[in-house]
Amino acid sequence: MTTVVRQVLVSELTSVDTMRDPIALYRQVFRLCTTDPAPSPRLLVSLVRNGGIAVGAYLDGELVGFSYGFPGRAPIGHLDAQRAYHYMELLVVRPDCQNAGIGRTLMHQVRAIAIRRGLQRIYWAYDPLRAANAHFYLDVIGACGYEFIDNMYGVEDSGRDRGFPTHRLVARWDLDAPGRHWPEPPPGLVLGQPVRDRRVDYDSMLLAIPDDWDYHSATAAQHHDLCAVVHELMASGYRAVSCRRTGGGLAVYRLVSGPLTAGHTYLL
C-alpha cells in the first residue's frame, strides 16, 4: 500500500518571479475579470523591499495560499497612537484547499516574521457578514474586532460583491496575548436582534447573522440592517471576540465590553 503525503510549504516571497502566481490566485478567489484592478508584482516587490511581508503556501509545489501586507504606524488619537504594527492587506486560500489549516499556517508565518521585526500587533479589515472568515480570525487565530468602518473602500465595483458597500470590521491580533476560550452561544437567537448573554459574569452581547451570507441573493436593505446593528454595538464600546455557527442557517457573534482579564478563560 502506498501512502501519498501532501506537504504544505510556506515561504516568504521576495522576487518579482514569485509574485505573479499570487496575483493570479487573488483574481481567481475574488472572481475578478481581466479588466478589474489588482495588485501588481511590481507593487508587491516594492512593499517587501520596504518593510512589507508577503508569504505563499505551496502544496506539492503549487501555490494555494497567499498573504501580503505592509508596515503601519497609528496616527495621533488612535488606540495604538504612534505604535508600529503590521497591516495585513490580504489573505487568500484557493477554494478547494480551504479548511485544511493553510490559512492558519500562513497567519502564523506572518506572525513569526512580525515578531522578529519587533512588532507586537497585526491589524487587518474583513467583511463582518462573512461568518466563516469571522470565525477563523476571532476563534481560530484569536484576534478581536475592535472598530467598524462604514463603506471603507466605497461601493464595490468589481468581483463577487459588486454593487454593495464595503463595510468592514477592523481586527487586531495581539501577538503576545494568551489564548482565550469563549462559551458556545445558545440556540434560539433571532437573526439581527442582539441580546445580552446573562449566563456569563461579564458584559457580553450575542448577535445572530447568516452563516453563509450570499451577496447574490441578499438585498441592499438586509445588508444595511445587519451592518447597522454591528456598527451600533461597536460604537457603544463592544468588540467582537467570537463568531460560531449554531445551526439553522445562523452564526452568532459574541461581543464583549470592558477589559479582558488576564488568566480568565471566559467559559461557563
Side-chain angles (χ1 to χ4, degrees), residues 101-117:
I102 293 171
R104 184 186 312 190
T105 302
L106 282 167
M107 291 288 292
H108 282 279
Q109 178 74 358
V110 173
R111 176 183 183 271
I113 297 170
I115 289 175
R116 289 201 302 269
R117 297 181 180 182

Side-chain angles (χ1 to χ4, degrees), residues 1 3 12 34 40 47 78 96 101 124 163 165 197 220 228 232 234 263:
M1 178 179 179
T3 300
E12 286 191 70
T34 56
S40 69
L47 286 178
H78 187 275
D96 63 311
W124 63 91
D197 189 355
E232 182 177 354
M234 303 293 287

